[in-house]
Amino acid sequence: MSIMTAEKAGAKIVEWYSCVIAKSHDQAILLKEEVKQLLSEMKDNDKILAYYSLVEFRHDMLINRYNKNKLQADFQNIEHIAKIDNMLKYLYYFVSGQSEYVNERYRSAIKLFNKAQRLLEYVNDEAEEAEFYQYSGLVYYRLNQYLVAASHIEHAKVIFDRLEYTEPSLNCQIVLAGIYQELHNPKKAEDILLDGLEKATDNDVMLGLINRSLGLNKLGIKDYNQAEFYFRQALSFKVHKDAAVGAKTTYNLSNVLFNQGKHEEAMKQFKAAHAGAKYYKNHEYMARCLATEGLHIKKDYSLVDTAIDDLNRLGLDFEVAEVAEEAANFAEKEGNDKLTLKYLKTAYKARLFQNTLGDDQQ
C-alpha cells in the first residue's frame, strides 16, 4: 500500500509542479492539498519528501509573489538520500538558485544555476527547460550581462509560446524590454511592452507589471510626466499595489514626483515606499530610498554615499551608476564641481564593472 501511495504521490507532485510552472494559481493550490493528503497516507520516503519540499518552495514563490517574509528556504537537504536521481539533483540546485535570487544574492544564484544546467539534459520536460532559462536569464540581467540574458530569455520565450503559457511568455517580454532599455533603445523597449499590454487583456498581474515597465522606460529618458502616468496605472491594480513589486513602483512614483517638484505628494509616496522596502526586506530599494532621502529631502550627500556603499556590497553596479549619476546631476545644479566629479567617477567605474563577471560569479 505504501509503495502504491508513494507512486501516486510522486505522480501528483509532477502534476502539481506543472501547474506551478504554468502559473495556474488556483489549480496549483488544489493539487498541493491533494499531495499533502497522499503524503499523510504514505510511509516516510526521503526522495518523495525532498521532491515535495522543493516544489513547495516554488509553489510559495508563485502564490506569495516573492514576498521574502512568507518564503522560507527550509527545503530538505538531499545529501543524505541514497541513490539520488539526476532530476532531484537538478531540482535541488535550481530551487536553491531561485532562493538566492529572491534574496538578491545574484552571484550565488548563478553558481547554483550553473550546477543545475549541467544536469538539464536529464530533465525531459520543455516547460522545465523554459523555466530554467527564464530564471538564469533574469539573474544575468540583474548582473548586467545583457547579451547572455537576452539569449536565455529568448530561448525560454520560444518554448513558452509553443506551449501557450501566456503569463511566463509575457514575463519574458518584460525582461527583453528591460534589456533594450539598458542598451539605450527605449523605442524598441516600448514597442515590446505595448505589444505585451495588448496580450495581457484581463490579467491584472501582468497589466500591473507591464505598466510599471513602461514607466521605468519613460523614467530612463527623463520623461517624468509619462513615467508618472504609467506608475499610477500600475498601482491602480490592487494585486500589484499589495505585492512586493508594488513597493518598488511606489518608490519610482515618488522619485518622478520629486523630480517634477511635486514635493508634498512625493513625500507621501516616499514614506509608503520606504515602509514597503523595509517590510519586504528589499535591500536594493532600501538603499535607493536612502539616496532619495539624501538628495531630495535632507540634502545630505553622506546618505548618498552610504546608499552607494550598500549597493556596491550587493554587487549592483548598474544601480550604483544610476544613483551616482543622479547625485552628479544634483551637485552640478548646485555648482559643486568637486562633488560632481566625484560622483561621475563613481558612475564611470560602476559602468565598467557592470559588463564584467568576477571569479565569484562564474
Side-chain angles (χ1 to χ4, degrees):
M1 178 66 181
S2 64
I3 294 175
M4 181 58 70
T5 304
E7 289 177 351
K8 286 173 65 179
K12 189 61 70 174
I13 288 172
V14 170
E15 187 181 352
W16 171 34
Y17 187 29
S18 297
C19 288
V20 171
I21 294 175
K23 305 293 188 289
S24 300
H25 301 70
D26 294 342
Q27 188 65 15
I29 291 170
L30 290 173
L31 285 169
K32 180 181 179 181
E33 293 306 311
E34 291 182 31
V35 170
K36 287 170 69 176
Q37 179 61 37
L38 288 171
L39 292 180
S40 70
E41 300 169 2
M42 182 189 77
K43 286 186 178 179
D44 284 350
N45 182 310
D46 286 345
K47 190 178 292 186
I48 293 295
L49 292 175
Y51 272 118
Y52 173 82
S53 67
L54 292 167
V55 175
E56 183 182 39
F57 181 79
R58 294 180 70 173
H59 172 96
D60 290 345
M61 283 179 63
L62 172 68
I63 301 303
N64 296 313
R65 299 281 174 188
Y66 300 98
N67 182 348
K68 283 186 277 189
N69 295 319
K70 297 181 180 179
L71 285 174
Q72 299 297 325
D74 56 356
F75 39 81
Q76 186 170 329
N77 194 299
I78 64 171
E79 303 298 332
H80 70 286
I81 301 175
K83 297 181 181 179
I84 304 172
D85 59 75
N86 286 315
M87 178 60 189
L88 182 55
K89 285 182 184 177
Y90 161 81
L91 196 58
Y92 179 74
Y93 289 128
F94 182 40
V95 173
S96 297
Q98 286 183 309
S99 176
E100 294 300 282
Y101 169 78
V102 168
N103 286 288
E104 304 169 74
R105 295 189 287 264
Y106 304 120
R107 292 178 174 85
S108 177
I110 281 296
K111 289 181 183 179
L112 290 160
F113 284 157
N114 285 343
K115 289 181 178 180
Q117 188 170 19
R118 289 193 282 271
L119 296 161
L120 195 57
E121 63 181 290
Y122 301 104
V123 180
N124 297 313
D125 186 286
E126 276 197 311
E128 178 63 28
E129 180 185 349
E131 176 115 321
F132 170 81
Y133 279 106
Q134 181 185 24
Y135 270 93
S136 60
L138 272 171
V139 175
Y140 278 117
Y141 171 63
R142 290 311 311 256
L143 291 169
N144 312 303
Q145 303 299 301
Y146 300 127
L147 297 181
V148 180
S151 174
H152 284 228
I153 294 294
E154 286 169 351
H155 183 73
K157 188 177 186 306
V158 167
I159 299 174
F160 284 137
D161 286 342
R162 185 162 60 244
L163 296 173
E164 298 183 348
Y165 283 12
T166 304
E167 188 171 321
S169 176
L170 286 171
N171 274 315
C172 288
Q173 275 190 242
I174 289 172
V175 179
L176 287 172
I179 290 169
Y180 277 107
Q181 180 194 336
E182 307 297 7
L183 296 177
H184 308 291
N185 192 342
K187 179 62 172 65
K188 178 67 174 177
E190 184 174 20
D191 289 344
I192 291 172
L193 292 169
L194 291 175
D195 175 70
L197 206 58
E198 289 184 9
K199 294 175 181 175
T201 57
D202 58 350
N203 187 327
D204 286 0
V205 170
M206 297 314 302
L207 288 171
L209 291 173
I210 294 169
N211 273 288
R212 165 180 165 74
S213 297
L214 283 162
L216 291 172
N217 193 49
K218 293 299 183 183
L219 179 59
I221 57 174
K222 295 183 171 56
D223 185 346
Y224 298 126
N225 186 55
Q226 277 293 293
E228 178 187 348
F229 169 78
Y230 282 121
F231 290 142
R232 289 192 187 279
Q233 283 289 103
L235 291 167
S236 71
F237 296 99
K238 189 175 187 301
V239 69
H240 184 91
K241 184 178 180 179
D242 293 346
V245 70
K248 298 180 183 180
T249 305
T250 303
Y251 166 79
N252 298 129
L253 176 58
S254 75
N255 188 270
V256 299
L257 290 170
F258 275 125
N259 279 295
Q260 292 179 92
K262 301 176 181 179
H263 194 83
E264 185 176 346
E265 172 67 4
M267 279 299 300
K268 176 184 173 184
Q269 298 294 341
F270 174 79
K271 288 176 182 177
H274 189 247
K278 289 177 69 175
Y279 173 76
Y280 290 112
K281 301 175 185 175
N282 189 304
H283 301 295
E284 176 195 338
Y285 275 79
M286 282 192 276
R288 285 182 177 271
C289 283
L290 189 61
T292 294
E293 187 177 2
L295 292 175
H296 292 282
I297 302 170
K298 294 187 176 178
K299 314 298 182 186
D300 182 353
Y301 284 99
S302 69
L303 297 179
V304 179
D305 293 338
T306 301
I308 288 173
D309 288 343
D310 290 345
L311 291 169
N312 269 320
R313 277 193 291 273
L314 292 169
L316 299 176
D317 299 311
F318 179 82
E319 289 71 14
V320 168
E322 278 194 326
V323 170
E325 285 168 357
E326 187 177 6
N329 288 335
F330 264 74
E332 185 178 21
K333 289 176 183 176
E334 294 172 351
N336 191 327
D337 294 338
K338 184 177 180 180
L339 275 180
T340 301
L341 182 60
K342 169 188 170 180
Y343 288 118
L344 285 176
K345 284 182 176 179
T346 299
Y348 176 72
K349 184 178 178 182
R351 294 289 184 195
L352 288 178
F353 282 142
Q354 77 176 58
N355 294 314
T356 63
L357 274 175
D359 291 339
D360 63 337
Q361 296 177 44
Q362 299 301 319

